[in-house]
Amino acid sequence: MKNQFTNKLDKKFIDAKARNRAALMPFLTMGYPSQQLSLPLLETLSENGADIIEVGIPYSDPVADGPVIQASSQISLENGTTPEKVFDILAAYAEKKHSATLVIMTYYNILLQQGLENFVRQCRDVGVTGIVVPDLPLEESKMLKGLLDEYQVHLIHFVPPNISEQRLEKIAKQASGFIYLISVTGVTGKRKQLPVNLGPLCSKIREYTQTPIALGFGIGSAEQVSQAAQEVDGVIIGSALIEELKEPQSAIDNAAIFMREVSHYE
Amino acid sequence: MNSQLDTMDETFYANFSDMASYYGAYGGCFVPETLMPAIEGIVNQIDEITRDEGFRSELRGLLEEYVGRPTPLTYAKNLSQELGFEIWLKREDLAHTGAHKINNALGQALLAKRMGKRRIIAETGAGQHGVATATVCALLGLDCTIYMGAVDVARQQLNVFRMEMLGATVVEVDNGTKTLKDAINEAIRDWVTHVDDTYYLLGSALGPHPYPVVVREFQKVIGIEAKQAFQSKFPGELPTAVVACVGGGSNAIGLFHTFIHDPSVRLIGIEAEGDGIQSGRHSVRLASSVDPKAGVLQGCYSFLMQNSDGQVEETHSIAPGLDYAMVGPEHAQLWQQKRAEYHSVKDEEALEGLKLLTRTEGIIPALESAHAIAGLVKLKDTFLQGDRVIVNISGRGDKDMMAIFERSKKKDK
């Protein structure tokens, strides 16, 4: 069943395309490097070129994440970050009518323990336009997908490079918001090179769906953004940004510099 | 050959013809999309591979001549006298490498080899599954990498040395709680990265589908042998109860499985209560009087030690093999159906259990298995004279000697 709704997330991809740019999608662990900095960091990213911000709610056992995001999650948890506090931050962000729209990234147990419907309702209430759940494959996603459709929030599916044609077809049919294309098999984290077969992979996906494709896992520099932008509709930058935020004193400045740099890709 | 195994019927063999990904509400397959091709690979091939006569005879031959199966069922005469009912010990401690873990490691490694995988990864807590995996990889000529938490590396030095001698690479995991849970996280990350050529040989009846059923099918031999040996002594009869310790739950489900449809047989699982429920330092998921809560961890939906936000909590047990936050999904279902009962004993009680079996029978059990003995002591008033109870001695205590020695030195001071 194709979803019938569109929200601000769809509009962001349309706008980027009209400007002939890829949507820029930084990832930020909420509560890192501190809870106080999360709101100003979101604002900084939005003001300096982010179209969509992926906000991470920390989980104790992030199996899809590499060392950088793992460490940021652990520090955030040590800072006392809870889903409730994250929603407070997101509500404060929503009040100020910033340009960048928010997509939540977290693991399934966090949603389950808040109650799926309660979680989804809170997402809608603070203007979150999509949810990414890295440990929720297609087969387990029916219940969440039903709720999200009802509340008009997109469920973002992953497409890894080793996917079978059959599975790609099934995921493409469900796809909504964007397709999260994983550049290489593995966990999150910067990598030296983009995959060589990016073009053919994207063409294959486009045989099955018109949903925008965003590339993630391993992208950290303006050159890589520029390369990726030739093939995909959005570029997700996680670990490379998180690495810049270690020191609370310089986090805001570093975030602004980093964001401006990648948004001025050639 | 005229071995016991030859006389076993079809039920002895692992059977994957009718696998479901859920046990009631529990189980499932919560993994990143990147792993789905690997999971589907196992699900699609396992029935055909394990049904093959060549696979069956190779596994059966190795179980007999390499592992030393069937393991004995030993009557514990002195302990029986002390507790007032008959106690029969299923001697997995006598299996090669000293624990039941080898049954599953061998089955899965043969499967991996037939799937064309050259590289095996595994997690280990106590080191027993790591040693078993390193052992079968040495035997079958497979590359082997074992993930182990830094805390466990420190308390199981000798097993690290054993694994390295067997040719495995041991990777010390220094993040999170630095125990089994974090070793599994790291093994999953390795698997996500090397999904094409690597087989993840999971050690307990846990994790994403199909692992809970794979591990159970390769461990059910424990219960099948125990039942057969029991009935050769008492034709047509069944034990009053079968008892095993429960961490993830592989030795317990291995013992329980063949008795599930024998309603007169009590299935008793013993969890690790550490310093006591009140202390917060324990690994009790089911036996606690508080309502257990289910959640998703490492691919599986089952009962889990977690806070109200869904963050997984730190666990504790003197027995590293029981020091884990989740119980396997089939145990979750047996608990919910009230088919099995779960109790818990503290570190101190387990140590007493270890000493009791050692003193009365001359058998030093692993600290994990000592929980099952301590469970018998705790539950002794629920048994009558003449009752016959089978207890799984899932492993031998050699690996724990150093830890117990250190502990007794500390106490003397």
Side-chain angles (χ1 to χ4, degrees), chain B residues 155 246 270-285 287-288 305 314-324 343-352 367-368 370-371 374 378 407 411:
Chain B
R155 58 180 167 175
V246 181
I270 309 293
E271 293 182 284
E273 205 184 310
D275 293 340
I277 302 266
Q278 302 305 326
S279 73
R281 282 171 50 78
H282 63 86
S283 307
V284 175
R285 292 70 43 95
S288 136
M305 288 180 63
E314 247 181 88
T315 55
H316 168 77
S317 170
I318 191 174
L322 305 182
D323 196 349
Y324 184 68
H343 304 271
S344 60
V345 299
K346 298 188 183 74
D347 285 352
E348 283 305 322
E349 294 170 299
L351 275 169
E352 287 309 312
L367 279 171
E368 288 77 11
H371 282 72
K378 192 172 184 175
R407 198 179 164 103
K411 260 200 156 164

Side-chain angles (χ1 to χ4, degrees), chain A residues 58 60-62 109 140 167, chain B residues 22 29 33 181 185 189 311:
Chain A
S60 54
D61 294 86
N109 200 43
E140 303 289 355
R167 203 168 169 83
Chain B
Y22 276 86
C29 184
E33 272 295 336
K181 172 173 77 85
N185 286 340
R189 291 182 187 118
Q311 310 296 353

Side-chain angles (χ1 to χ4, degrees), chain B residues 330-347:
Chain B
E330 194 165 2
H331 286 291
Q333 186 187 32
L334 290 173
W335 176 84
Q336 196 211 25
Q337 295 171 333
K338 297 191 162 60
R339 175 63 191 93
E341 50 191 285
Y342 296 85
H343 304 271
S344 60
V345 299
K346 298 188 183 74
D347 285 352

Side-chain angles (χ1 to χ4, degrees), chain A residues 58-63 65 70 77 82 108-110 113-114 134-135 137-138 140 158 160 162 167 182 185-187, chain B residues 22 28-34 36-37 40 175-176 181 185 189 192-193 195 293-297 306 309-312:
Chain A
Y59 173 54
S60 54
D61 294 86
V63 292
D65 284 304
Q70 273 177 56
L77 288 173
T82 61
Y108 195 48
N109 200 43
I110 299 295
Q113 302 311 321
Q114 314 308 308
D135 61 346
L138 188 66
E140 303 289 355
F158 286 90
N162 58 340
R167 203 168 169 83
I182 301 175
T185 60
V187 293
Chain B
Y22 276 86
C29 184
F30 298 88
V31 297
E33 272 295 336
T34 311
M36 287 310 294
E40 285 178 336
N175 47 32
K181 172 173 77 85
N185 286 340
R189 291 182 187 118
V192 170
T193 309
V195 61
K293 279 198 81 182
V296 167
L297 173 67
Q306 57 183 327
D309 291 332
Q311 310 296 353
V312 179

Side-chain angles (χ1 to χ4, degrees), chain B residues 12-66:
Chain B
F12 165 78
Y13 295 105
N15 180 348
F16 300 103
S17 60
D18 190 22
M19 288 194 291
S21 61
Y22 276 86
Y23 297 90
Y26 311 104
C29 184
F30 298 88
V31 297
E33 272 295 336
T34 311
L35 289 182
M36 287 310 294
I39 300 255
E40 285 178 336
I42 302 172
V43 169
N44 294 337
Q45 294 174 69
I46 193 167
D47 184 42
E48 198 185 329
I49 290 175
T50 55
R51 193 177 285 283
D52 174 67
E53 215 26 71
F55 179 93
R56 285 180 164 193
S57 65
E58 186 175 5
L59 178 56
R60 197 180 59 177
L62 286 170
L63 285 176
E64 282 185 27
E65 292 163 13
Y66 186 72

